[in-house]
Amino acid sequence: MNAALYFFNPRSIAIIGATADPKKFGNAVTKNILENKVLQCEIYLITQNSEDIQGKKCYRFLSEVPGEVDLVIILVPARIVEIVINQCIKKKVKGIIIITAGFGEIDDIGKRVEQEIVRKCKENGIRVMGPNCVGIQNLEMGLNASFIQTAPGGSIGMISQSGSIGCACFYEMQEWNLGCSKFASIGNNVDFSYFELLEYLKEDEHTRLISIYMESIKNPKEFLKVLRLLTPVKPVISLKGGKNAIGMQTASSHTGSLASDNRILKAALHQVGTIPCDTIGEFITAMKTFSYLPLPKGEKIGILTNSGGTAVLFCDHLERFNLQLASFSAEFIDKITPHVIPLVKKVNPLDMIAGAGEKEYFEITRAMLEDPTIDIIVVGLVIPPFLEMDPGEHFKGAVKAWNQTGREKPLLILNLFGEHFSGIKQISKEEKITFFTNPLDVALSIKFLIERMKFLNHLNEIEP
Amino acid sequence: MNAALYFFNPRSIAIIGATADPKKFGNAVTKNILENKVLQCEIYLITQNSEDIQGKKCYRFLSEVPGEVDLVIILVPARIVEIVINQCIKKKVKGIIIITAGFGEIDDIGKRVEQEIVRKCKENGIRVMGPNCVGIQNLEMGLNASFIQTAPGGSIGMISQSGSIGCACFYEMQEWNLGCSKFASIGNNVDFSYFELLEYLKEDEHTRLISIYMESIKNPKEFLKVLRLLTPVKPVISLKGGKNAIGMQTASSHTGSLASDNRILKAALHQVGTIPCDTIGEFITAMKTFSYLPLPKGEKIGILTNSGGTAVLFCDHLERFNLQLASFSAEFIDKITPHVIPLVKKVNPLDMIAGAGEKEYFEITRAMLEDPTIDIIVVGLVIPPFLEMDPGEHFKGAVKAWNQTGREKPLLILNLFGEHFSGIKQISKEEKITFFTNPLDVALSIKFLIERMKFLNHLNEIEP
């Protein structure tokens, strides 16, 4: 059985270091677990300082807990962790999350202590996550066994070696209608780690794509082997922190990670079909891409816009990513002619000029979606502050066309710096869609889509 | 006299093609001009369809206008523009903005027509801006002679060949406390253009930095000569649209621009001291940089953070931009030791761990600002969702230290994905500061600062 089940789907949890003091991390975890009323799970709070917390009875020691315990979350100071581990072994728990920091990320003594903990736990069939992590979350179960906010719900299985990167990504994901099915922060990554997590997420029906922020990989060969089996099934997005000498030195202080050559790693990750990102901005762009967009059938891009400059800036990135524009067919031009003013040049990118509104966006987007020579549609847009236009009308027109055609082709909305209009966020929430605000992100997103299309096509060729 | 005065500081303006119909561009310009009550300027509305607009008397022809006219704004259809131009010549106006599209960006006939207009106007001492542009703005004067929204006020003199890029940038600038002193959209760029605009902005006391979005440069040699004189005085940021074959073809449909080799242009722009940007994201980052940050005296960076991952990701960009971290001195370590918990490793980047709050941010930021071996300070930050922390407290702590030390060193706040907290926007507005949300942007911003420092140092060496 995959040990991840004890972490993501525990039948019972004990929090050692639970506290009512809102200024302590033990309180943050306790609150996060108790607050979710959906959670079906026995909860035991262990502390010597309170009789009860939020009306929930506390136990002084783990040994006093009446039932079995699947998962223990440890929040006591580092110097007491080893004592607590012994209690866990006695209690025959299945999994332990050590949130406490102050181990391998600090010095060699810390490294030895965490290794000793792992050794002891392994002997007793117990798996260890952390130390120096923020915990885990299972959104479907209503479980937030971490001290950070509950992730927005969605289809991303996220593994983050850094808790704060996870936390920051949640802020950003919230804004872009992205969300997690599962979240695991693995911290110093001493035992329970990528392999089991990835195998679990591969089978998890709520997870449609996987994103990984990593600073260290203990066994790259094994890691790549697991990924190779996973990428044909689900897109896997990765971001490596600690890419060069200074970055890696910093990562070593952060999660006790050791160096590995990033260029080789990136090439290897790419080869096994993952989507390695160079920056956290790209990481978010990749999550947007695979959360909402279907894969294209070909590589030809059609662009419509009300802003010539937006199309110019987008096209400036085509070469870098080896992207191709479609040439409009005579049939296509006939089809769109009634919907654009005579001033409009009927070439790709199609600049419909500033006066184009919902109707034009709907008609031209639909024409592109229906055109067999166009595989990918970019809807460029600067929200017009004139002619009494509704800021959301262009967006609505394009999405309506996308919905009518069954969302079969990737439709990328490039709403240049238009994210600050509250109505726009509302539409994208209601329509379950995301959008981009920067030409570079759109070009990169298309690159991701095409690479994944080619990767899967290639697999089908070699294993038909 | 620089012709820009007639455009930016006209004593009288005639709008030809003014209209009360809110669905027409002529109305957008009319409204924008009439709405600003600060504007001290004679306004004449010319139309054959209304007696008055918003209570303002209309004239049927320019010839009926009683006084002199400095600036004419033309919004009539393209086929009538030449007739109107003749009326302008008769009236002996000084400058004309042709907002109307449908000239050189359409075809060769359009190119010939716009050339003929320029020739005729030149003969009569009249300067022409546009055609196919959105107009101009002078924020100090309360003049918005364009059909887009009034830019947020500030210290950037902005020239944009594309009106919609200007419009989109205004949306983004608003969010980041950036603003314009002057704005000019030059469209097809047939006559009145960069040279006079740049010379005007160079002398303009309200303009502290200059940003240019360009698709075509008619006379690159002259352009570079003007820039060479300008960059020692004010930072000049540029973004070139139409960088490669496809992008340039698109730019040609957009503003009728012709190709030029972008790599050579970029190198030349760099050589004369401008800050050429590769993407519109970089363009905004450069505007943030020079709107708020002082130049450093040296290159050594000090980083503090509550999120190790944020520091790791920032450091991953050091190599690419050739940036250097400071080494903490023994004195510095003594100074900060009382302010951090024992778990904290006293190395740069200084990861104060998740519990650090306003006090720690204030103390450590101040220590870095006061340390003679640290030239540039990066305040890394993931807003903690735990321990009842105030989302703005870290920000406040850092800014307080910056204010106390007279804002003499550049302080870059890297608030990873924290822009969605309304309180944060409020603080940055009140404190007249901006921040960054992405490690890459911070690294790039520091690169911009160091390059400008070196450029000015070099000038001082050769011309002491």
Side-chain angles (χ1 to χ4, degrees), chain B residues 81-343:
Chain B
V81 168
E82 283 191 271
I83 302 168
V84 169
I85 292 288
N86 290 334
Q87 297 168 356
C88 291
I89 291 171
K90 258 199 195 138
K91 185 71 184 170
K92 296 193 164 66
V93 309
K94 305 295 191 296
I96 298 173
I97 301 176
I98 307 174
I99 290 182
T100 308
F103 292 90
E105 81 281 12
I106 297 290
D107 54 22
D108 284 342
I109 300 175
K111 272 201 171 41
R112 278 202 298 275
V113 173
E114 66 187 20
Q115 284 309 325
E116 177 57 20
I117 289 173
V118 171
R119 192 196 56 74
K120 237 197 263 180
C121 286
K122 244 186 197 159
E123 271 180 21
N124 290 279
I126 302 171
R127 303 303 301 270
V128 180
M129 189 185 241
N132 184 25
C133 70
V134 305
I136 62 147
Q137 301 186 14
N138 176 346
L139 279 287
E140 289 80 37
M141 196 184 164
L143 174 66
N144 178 357
S146 80
F147 64 81
I148 63 173
Q149 78 273 35
T150 303
S155 57
I156 304 171
M158 189 174 197
I159 307 173
S160 178
Q161 200 165 351
S162 160
S164 61
I165 295 299
C167 171
C169 284
F170 294 172
Y171 291 142
E172 193 72 1
M173 289 162 76
Q174 183 80 51
E175 292 303 308
W176 298 109
N177 294 331
L178 305 174
C180 286
S181 53
K182 308 285 184 295
F183 170 76
S185 127
I186 55 175
N188 291 4
N189 179 23
V190 291
D191 170 33
F192 177 74
S193 183
Y194 300 116
F195 313 122
E196 287 108 334
L197 282 167
L198 290 173
E199 273 166 3
Y200 173 87
L201 293 174
K202 182 182 164 200
E203 305 301 329
D204 180 41
E205 57 172 340
H206 299 287
T207 299
R208 279 183 36 223
L209 64 153
I210 292 162
S211 76
I212 310 171
Y213 172 74
M214 57 200 171
E215 293 185 357
S216 64
I217 302 149
K218 287 256 141 55
N219 185 341
K221 235 176 165 172
E222 185 67 19
F223 183 58
L224 292 167
K225 212 172 96 184
V226 176
L227 285 175
R228 194 185 288 276
L229 295 172
L230 179 47
T231 53
V233 186
K234 294 175 184 179
V236 180
I237 300 155
S238 70
L239 175 65
K240 171 77 169 66
K243 288 197 187 71
N244 50 42
I246 309 170
M248 281 188 290
Q249 199 182 324
T250 306
S252 152
S253 304
H254 180 219
T255 52
S257 301
L258 287 174
S260 62
D261 187 313
N262 184 61
R263 269 166 311 176
I264 295 173
L265 177 67
K266 189 180 171 185
L269 285 170
H270 199 266
Q271 205 183 26
V272 298
T274 66
I275 297 111
C277 299
D278 282 329
T279 68
I280 195 162
E282 292 187 6
F283 193 55
I284 298 288
T285 297
M287 287 196 248
K288 282 183 174 181
T289 304
F290 294 106
S291 287
Y292 285 108
L293 299 176
L295 292 184
K297 300 264 186 298
E299 300 187 44
K300 299 288 186 194
I301 304 167
I303 311 169
L304 62 151
T305 187
N306 63 351
S307 153
T310 302
V312 169
L313 291 176
F314 172 75
C315 289
D316 278 341
H317 301 301
L318 293 176
E319 223 165 60
R320 176 173 162 198
F321 297 118
N322 203 16
L323 305 181
Q324 303 167 30
L325 292 194
S327 293
F328 291 162
S329 66
E331 292 79 13
F332 179 80
I333 289 173
D334 284 349
K335 201 168 172 185
I336 63 168
T337 298
H339 304 298
V340 293
I341 58 172
L343 264 188

Side-chain angles (χ1 to χ4, degrees), chain B residues 38-50:
Chain B
V38 178
L39 181 63
Q40 297 284 330
C41 181
E42 285 298 326
I43 309 292
Y44 304 109
L45 308 182
I46 320 288
T47 171
Q48 278 143 44
N49 303 321
S50 301

Side-chain angles (χ1 to χ4, degrees), chain A residues 359-377:
Chain A
K359 197 177 160 303
E360 290 77 15
Y361 270 78
F362 169 70
E363 295 291 353
I364 306 301
T365 303
R366 195 174 63 173
M368 286 196 183
L369 287 163
E370 289 173 351
D371 190 286
T373 67
I374 298 173
D375 305 302
I376 297 158
I377 291 92

Side-chain angles (χ1 to χ4, degrees), chain B residues 250-439:
Chain B
T250 306
S252 152
S253 304
H254 180 219
T255 52
S257 301
L258 287 174
S260 62
D261 187 313
N262 184 61
R263 269 166 311 176
I264 295 173
L265 177 67
K266 189 180 171 185
L269 285 170
H270 199 266
Q271 205 183 26
V272 298
T274 66
I275 297 111
C277 299
D278 282 329
T279 68
I280 195 162
E282 292 187 6
F283 193 55
I284 298 288
T285 297
M287 287 196 248
K288 282 183 174 181
T289 304
F290 294 106
S291 287
Y292 285 108
L293 299 176
L295 292 184
K297 300 264 186 298
E299 300 187 44
K300 299 288 186 194
I301 304 167
I303 311 169
L304 62 151
T305 187
N306 63 351
S307 153
T310 302
V312 169
L313 291 176
F314 172 75
C315 289
D316 278 341
H317 301 301
L318 293 176
E319 223 165 60
R320 176 173 162 198
F321 297 118
N322 203 16
L323 305 181
Q324 303 167 30
L325 292 194
S327 293
F328 291 162
S329 66
E331 292 79 13
F332 179 80
I333 289 173
D334 284 349
K335 201 168 172 185
I336 63 168
T337 298
H339 304 298
V340 293
I341 58 172
L343 264 188
V344 169
K345 267 178 142 172
K346 288 164 205 91
V347 294
N348 191 13
L350 189 76
D351 181 2
M352 305 184 292
I353 316 189
E358 179 166 355
K359 196 177 161 303
E360 291 77 13
Y361 269 79
F362 169 70
E363 295 290 353
I364 306 300
T365 303
R366 195 174 62 172
M368 286 196 184
L369 286 163
E370 288 174 351
D371 189 286
T373 67
I374 297 173
D375 305 301
I376 298 158
I377 292 91
V378 174
V379 178
L381 172 60
V382 171
I383 294 178
F386 40 70
L387 307 191
E388 297 189 326
M389 285 197 203
D390 169 5
E393 68 174 88
H394 312 75
F395 198 148
K396 277 184 209 154
V399 175
K400 193 176 148 196
W402 201 38
N403 290 342
Q404 282 192 5
T405 55
R407 298 194 173 191
E408 285 176 5
K409 289 182 186 177
L411 178 91
L412 296 97
I413 297 179
L414 166 52
N415 183 0
L416 189 68
F417 297 145
E419 72 271 31
H420 313 297
F421 288 80
S422 59
I424 294 291
K425 291 262 154 107
Q426 195 53 36
I427 297 167
S428 57
K429 206 162 212 160
E430 283 165 13
E431 291 285 351
K432 292 191 179 29
I433 187 174
T434 195
F435 63 95
F436 302 86
T437 58
N438 198 305

